[in-house]
Structures are given as structure tokens and as C-alpha cells.
Amino acid sequence: MDKNTHQKKQETTPVTLAALGEFGFIERIRQRVRANTAVLSGIGDDCSVCTFPPGEVLLTTKDLLLEDIHFRRAWIDMYSLGWKSAAVNLSDIAAMGGSALYVHLGLGIPAATELDDLEAFMHGFLSLCDQENATLCGGDTCRSMQGLCISVTVQGSIPPAELCQRSGATPGDIIYVSGTLGDSALALLQMQEGEKPEAELALRHNRPQPRLQLGRSLASQRLASAMIDLSDGIFADLGHILTHSGCGAELDTRLIPLSAATQKHLQQQPQRRLQVLKGGEDYELLFTAPAERQQQIAQLSAKLGLPLTAVGKILPAPEGLRCIDHGGSPQTTSTGAKPDASNPGGFNHFRA
Ligand code: ADP
Ligand code: MG
């Protein structure tokens, strides 16, 4: 075969994982990972070996992302998929108030997957890890017979006295959310309906920003009494706080902060409002704080350049979750104390 035919063949036949092999792929990942002296032994040995900040407690979270359950290859590019796989896990560390440290990545990959796609995935994944100073230390790579499977474990740390759990809310606390909500759900809704979302909205769905700096600041300044990341939607995730804290709440949906793009869209399509508000995957933080922290929270918001908006208040358990919508009068949608009723309109994998 002469040089030209060889070049042509390379252009038309993409390199697949089957051609490169598992170990070739792992070696490429290893070369791309940023060095970290806290990692005594990373990719390459039977276990990773990492140091740990003395006096702190270990936070560990894991999320699975399965093709056609959590994502569709047609709706998300591979860089974004890598980014999002890291983001959804880092967001859980943010929600406890912790710092992210170490990441392990399990991949089940169909043999025909193109190497370029895997490289784009790893590029997105590691770009966000680098941004948040989290180091990929190991993982596992296997062939999948059906679709791409991604399993990410992130570990972090926090001084135990600073932990922000779901159980810490008390009546009288104000409920805050960071950033704007609904952009991600609107983008997903549009893709499901065959519409093309605005680039800005699609980015919010495909490349969420985990709010680690916010979570850490709230925890270290002891501002938040309870915290959760918004993955299932505000009603469901606030419901989790109410269940764990044994409280009720009043949520004024008119106060939920929306981006200009989403506001404009909902003016044209007001019938989509509830679906957009209910939708999840914003990966913003929802937290509660005593009313006297209001000024410190405003200062933190200004410092981070991130809106922190009060959307309601925590009430005693018998009040349930009361939602105020346009029209003004509150409607009780559930009681915070009952786990099953506390997931109104959120995402549930096993519900028909
Ligand atoms: P073992 O046989 O001990 O499970 P493997 O051959 O599966 O080891 O993996 C070799 C090394 O590569 C290990 O250190 C493992 O943690 C790492 N590794 C495998 N897959 C990945 C991946 N997807 N991302 C990061 N590290 C990986
Ligand atoms: Mg292995």
C-alpha cells in the first residue's frame, strides 16, 4: 500500500476502542491527568493511594449516567457529556459544603466507539476536574454490549463542624437558591419536542457548573443550616430537605429566579411554566439560613457575582409544602414529613 492510499484509509476509517485496546486508552488518560503531589499513586496500580487533610471527614458520592436513560448521544456532544459526568458528582460535594479531592471513573464502552469521541469525553471530564482541583486517580474500563455506561465516584473532605446536611433546617429559616433555575429543563423540553434550544439554554443543560465555591463559602462561614443541590427539581429537592428536617415550607414560585432567555420563552409559551419550574438538572444549590444571616448572604452573593435569591421560608411540619403561584393564594402540595408525598413533580426512575 503506497503512502497516499494509507493516508486515505486513515481518514476514512476512524480508530475505535477495539483497535486501540483498553490499556492504550488508559495510558492516554494517564498522560492527560494533571500532576498532584497529594496523590501518592494514581492510575497504574491496583489501588490509588491518596493523602487526606488531617481532622477532616471523608465525603464520597457516586452517580451513574446511562445512555438512553440519562442522556442521548444525539442531544449531547461528547465533550459536554464528559463535563456533565464530572459536574453532577462534584455538585454533590458542593451541596455538603465540601472541597473536592479525588475522582474515580468507571466506563462501559461499546467496542465500536470512536477514539475521537472518547478523547472528547475525557477532555470535557478532565477540564472540569482541573477547574475544581479534583484529580482523577483511577477507575475501570470495560466493554459494554449496550450503550455507554459512565460511573463516577468523587471524594472530598470537610471539617465535620462545617457539614451542611439536608436535616438542618428549622422553622423561620429563609430558603435561598443560587443562579437561575429552569434553563436546563427548558432546553430538554425543547429537544424532546424536536425544537432547537438557544445555545445559551443548551449549555446550561449540557455543561452545568457545580457550585463548589459557593458551597464551601456557605459552609466555612456557617451561613447555611441545610443544603441540597438542585438535580431533581426545586419541588422535589426542597421536599427532601423538609423530609429530613421534619419541617414544612412556603415556596413563592413567583420569586424563583429565571434567566432572560427563559423569561422571554415563557412569555411566548406560558403553558410551559410549571414544567420548566418542576424540571431538574440545574445543579444550582438550594439552602436554608436563619433570617439574621441575610446581610452576610447578600455580601457573599456580591463577592461571588452569583445571585442568591430568597424564594420562601421554612415552617413547622404540619404546614406541609405550600406553594404560592400567580394569583397569590397558597396551595398545599404535600407535607414535608412524609417521604412519598415530598417528591411532587420531581424525577423518579421507577415511577411509570
Ligand atoms: P485492575 O486489573 O487492578 O482492576 P485495570 O487493568 O482495570 O486494573 O486498570 C489499570 C489501572 O488503570 C488502574 O490503576 C485503574 O485504576 C486505572 N484505570 C482503569 N480504567 C480507568 C479509567 N476509565 N479512568 C481512570 N483510570 C482508570
Ligand atoms: Mg479494573
Side-chain angles (χ1 to χ4, degrees):
M1 189 161 43
D2 69 23
K3 199 166 161 252
N4 284 340
T5 358
H6 183 68
Q7 268 181 353
K8 192 145 191 215
K9 185 153 193 291
Q10 278 201 330
E11 275 165 22
T12 51
T13 320
V15 181
T16 63
L17 189 66
L20 181 72
E22 172 192 339
F23 294 105
F25 175 58
I26 294 171
E27 178 54 21
R28 284 188 190 222
I29 299 177
R30 196 187 64 76
Q31 285 171 12
R32 166 68 179 73
V33 169
R34 194 195 271 173
N36 178 352
T37 54
V39 179
L40 306 182
S41 174
I43 295 171
D45 215 323
D46 293 312
C47 288
S48 58
V49 185
C50 304
T51 60
F52 194 75
E56 302 204 359
V57 290
L58 176 65
L59 303 172
T60 305
T61 177
K62 171 184 277 296
D63 264 313
L64 270 177
L65 290 94
L66 303 179
E67 186 168 346
D68 295 330
I69 302 241
H70 300 95
F71 63 90
R72 297 242 181 126
R73 291 282 304 268
W75 292 350
I76 187 166
D77 64 282
M78 287 295 273
Y79 179 96
S80 297
L81 183 61
W83 176 284
K84 189 167 180 174
S85 303
V88 301
N89 283 277
L90 290 164
S91 177
D92 285 325
I93 301 285
M96 302 297 286
S99 308
L101 297 172
Y102 307 123
V103 181
H104 290 79
L105 172 63
L107 289 175
I109 308 171
T113 309
E114 292 179 17
L115 188 62
D116 282 353
D117 283 338
L118 289 175
E119 300 254 297
F121 176 90
M122 288 312 305
H123 186 33
F125 187 86
L126 291 171
S127 296
L128 182 57
C129 290
D130 289 347
Q131 178 189 299
E132 302 300 342
N133 293 315
T135 304
L136 180 63
C137 299
D140 202 20
T141 305
C142 297
R143 182 143 68 113
S144 161
M145 300 304 283
Q146 213 173 17
L148 184 58
C149 311
I150 305 155
S151 167
V152 183
T153 304
V154 176
Q155 293 175 305
S157 73
I158 187 170
E162 295 178 9
L163 268 175
C164 297
Q165 292 172 281
R166 295 178 179 185
S167 52
T170 35
D173 285 355
I174 309 288
I175 303 165
Y176 293 87
V177 294
S178 66
T180 58
L181 307 189
D183 296 336
S184 174
L186 175 54
L188 179 64
L189 182 63
Q190 288 180 300
M191 289 189 286
Q192 283 166 338
E193 303 277 318
E195 300 162 32
K196 193 172 155 39
E198 274 181 52
E200 181 192 337
L201 297 176
L203 264 185
R204 295 274 340 250
H205 184 71
N206 291 337
R207 289 193 216 162
Q209 289 287 342
R211 299 298 185 192
L212 280 150
Q213 205 189 0
L214 172 63
R216 190 80 277 282
S217 305
L218 289 167
S220 64
Q221 295 179 48
R222 318 276 171 104
L223 296 178
S225 49
M227 187 147 66
I228 191 167
D229 66 322
L230 289 167
S231 55
D232 296 340
I234 187 167
F235 301 103
D237 289 320
L238 175 58
H240 295 318
I241 289 210
L242 302 183
T243 303
H244 287 259
S245 298
C247 291
E250 182 177 270
L251 175 69
D252 190 338
T253 64
R254 300 167 302 182
L255 300 177
I256 294 175
L258 303 176
S259 69
T262 292
Q263 275 179 43
K264 191 172 133 218
H265 182 91
L266 292 183
Q267 268 158 19
Q268 288 154 6
Q269 310 248 21
Q271 77 285 2
R272 284 182 163 172
R273 183 167 177 274
L274 189 59
Q275 221 173 335
V276 166
L277 292 184
K278 264 189 193 169
E281 296 196 88
D282 292 307
Y283 298 100
E284 294 293 345
L285 293 179
L286 180 148
F287 61 96
T288 59
E292 60 270 21
R293 300 270 185 267
Q294 214 161 340
Q295 208 180 343
Q296 280 169 285
I297 287 166
Q299 281 165 357
L300 179 63
S301 167
K303 186 177 153 215
L304 299 180
L306 180 65
L308 300 176
T309 309
V311 292
K313 63 170 183 282
I314 298 292
L315 301 174
E319 304 284 342
L321 173 55
R322 301 200 319 224
C323 292
I324 304 175
D325 204 349
H326 293 291
S329 60
Q331 290 203 331
T332 301
T333 54
S334 80
T335 57
K338 289 192 193 131
D340 257 22
S342 71
N343 194 12
F347 188 72
N348 181 327
H349 275 272
F350 295 100
R351 192 175 279 166

